[in-house]
Every structure is written in structure tokens, then in C-alpha cells.
Amino acid sequence: MSVLDSFRLDGKVALVTGCKRGIGKAMAIALAEAGADIIGVSASLEAEGSDVGKAVEEAGRTFTGYSCDFADRAALKDFIAKLRGDGHAPDILINNAGTIKRQPAAEHPDELWDEVIEVNLTAQFILSREIGGDMVRRGSGKIIFTASLLTFQGGINVPGYSASKGGIGQLTMALANEWAGKGVNVNAIAPGYIATDNTQALRNDEARYQAILERIPAGRWGVPEDFAGPVVFLASSASDYVSGAIVLVDGGWMGR
């Protein structure tokens, strides 16, 4: 196999959460362009006719869409049961779905904390336990989490988000420790400051936007398409000896 062939995903099926827009959508399209069929799930994803589904099909791959509210644990378990009932056995799991709630810590209510931890950490563990457990039994699979700069830093006014993304970093390594020897690679990608819905509030604050921009060595905010290469690498056999890694895609922010 040539090195370029090792990045191909022909015959693979990837489950991508939070795929309706932003980074998740870009990841789903990239995986499809590399040869994978896509199962997409988001809280409000259309079963048919979604923009991401059309893009995947234009790449010559199949797209199956589901909706699921990851803040609702019963709904998540129903989704997993339906996925299995429909005969799907993903080779690749992209744990990308997430939410962020901005409120100073002293004013941060329980319901915001609970929602963020449920969506960003608990739901991702449950999906990984169930889908990853199937991979372990088969002896192969790839799991990729979306971490964050706040896996490493504390952030401002987002205590639940920071806690959840710190947890994702530890969960990535914990699962990698257990499953690397069983044919399942578990890694994460940590985005820097990316122009998506999650950062709209920051980008609307001109002073904060400029302060962030000036600290990024690459001289620009990232875009969702910056994640195409990293996700294909970690989903493919090119990364078979990579396990427990958190890959920064941040324009050099953490090196500053």
C-alpha cells in the first residue's frame, strides 16, 4: 500500500455527531471524499435533504441522517438502539456534537452546567462505550473526539464547557489506554479559535476578536475546512500507531 492509499477510507462507515454545520459538517464531507459512507446525527438534522447529506452524496458516498438531542439521555439510548436495529456498525466514530453556555461562574445555574456536561461529556462517553465496545469485539475501529483549547486552558465565563473539554482530554487517554491493544485507536482533535456558531459571540465583540487574532501566530481565525486533513488522518490506517493523542489545530495558539 502506498502512503496515499493508507489515507483512503473505502468500504468504511463513519458516524459523525454534530454534523449539520461547522466543524462536524466539514469532517463528514472530508471523510466522504476519502471514501467513507456517512451516518450523520445532530439535534435538528433532517432525515433527508440536509446540506451535509447532499454534499456527501455529491462526493459519491451514501448518507444516512438521524436526529438526537444529546442532552436527553433516554433519547441517546433510543438512538443507539435504532442505529443497531437499522443494521449499522460504524468503523469510525466522530464524537463532535457539543454545546457552550456563557455565564460567569458565580452566576452559572445548575441547568446550564448540567446541559453542557451531559452533551459534551456524558453523551460522548455513552456513545463511545456502546459503539466503541462493538469495535473492541470486532477488533478494529477509530474513535475521534473534538476537544478544545479549553482542554488545556481555563477559559472565561464558560466553566461547564471548560470542565467538559478537560474531561474529553482525559477520556481520550483513558479509552486509548484500554483499547489500543485491541485494535481500536482513540484520539482527539483540539480546535483553536474557529469561525463557527460557537464563537459568534466572541467574533461579535470587536475588541475580544482583535485580541484573539493578534495572539494567533498564523494570523487568522480557523475555518471548518482546516479539519479535513486531520480527521481523515486519524480515521485512516495512516494513523494506526497513533493512540491517546490530542492533535491541536489552532494556528499555533498553544505554542505561543
Side-chain angles (χ1 to χ4, degrees), residues 73-111:
R73 195 171 304 186
L76 173 61
K77 291 184 176 180
D78 287 345
F79 162 67
I80 294 169
K82 182 167 178 54
L83 188 73
R84 288 171 169 160
D86 289 345
H88 298 300
D91 305 287
I92 301 159
L93 171 60
I94 310 296
N95 276 313
N96 172 73
T99 190
I100 188 167
K101 302 295 181 183
R102 299 181 186 277
Q103 195 81 6
E107 304 162 17
H108 206 84
D110 290 354
E111 55 267 26

Side-chain angles (χ1 to χ4, degrees), residues 30-99:
L31 294 169
E33 290 175 346
D37 292 322
I38 306 298
I39 301 167
V41 57
S42 289
S44 59
L45 183 67
E46 306 91 330
E48 296 181 2
S50 65
D51 289 343
V52 63
K54 290 175 183 176
V56 167
E57 289 166 356
E58 287 172 2
R61 309 313 308 168
T62 65
F63 182 86
T64 305
Y66 293 90
S67 62
C68 179
D69 179 1
F70 290 100
D72 182 339
R73 195 171 304 186
L76 173 61
K77 291 184 176 180
D78 287 345
F79 162 67
I80 294 169
K82 182 167 178 54
L83 188 73
R84 288 171 169 160
D86 289 345
H88 298 300
D91 305 287
I92 301 159
L93 171 60
I94 310 296
N95 276 313
N96 172 73
T99 190

Side-chain angles (χ1 to χ4, degrees), residues 12 16 27 31-32 51 54 61 71 93 126-127 138 174 185 192 211 215 221 242 252 256:
K12 302 295 185 182
V16 184
M27 287 178 169
L31 294 169
D51 289 343
K54 290 175 183 176
R61 309 313 308 168
L93 171 60
I126 292 170
L127 263 179
R138 292 197 304 268
N185 297 84
R215 191 184 185 282
W221 279 53
V242 179
R256 190 69 179 262

Side-chain angles (χ1 to χ4, degrees), residues 3 6 12 29 84 106 122 134 173 195 203 232 250-251:
V3 65
S6 71
K12 302 295 185 182
I29 293 169
R84 288 171 169 160
T122 304
D134 293 340
M173 292 184 282
R203 290 183 288 121
V232 169
D250 65 349

Side-chain angles (χ1 to χ4, degrees), residues 181-242:
K182 299 178 180 179
V184 179
N185 297 84
V186 184
N187 295 289
I189 297 173
Y193 285 94
I194 312 300
T196 66
D197 291 352
N198 272 0
T199 60
Q200 189 65 56
L202 292 177
R203 290 183 288 121
N204 288 343
D205 182 335
E206 185 61 28
R208 188 86 189 278
Y209 172 82
Q210 286 298 329
I212 290 169
L213 181 62
E214 289 169 5
R215 191 184 185 282
I216 301 172
R220 66 173 177 88
W221 279 53
V223 295
E225 291 71 23
D226 288 319
F227 296 84
V231 77
V232 169
F233 168 63
L234 291 176
S236 71
S237 63
S239 63
D240 280 351
Y241 200 59
V242 179

Side-chain angles (χ1 to χ4, degrees), residues 153-196:
Q153 300 177 323
I156 300 171
N157 294 334
V158 287
Y161 186 82
S162 298
S164 71
K165 291 302 184 177
I168 285 297
Q170 295 300 313
L171 181 58
T172 296
M173 292 184 282
L175 297 182
N177 287 343
E178 292 192 36
W179 293 348
K182 299 178 180 179
V184 179
N185 297 84
V186 184
N187 295 289
I189 297 173
Y193 285 94
I194 312 300
T196 66

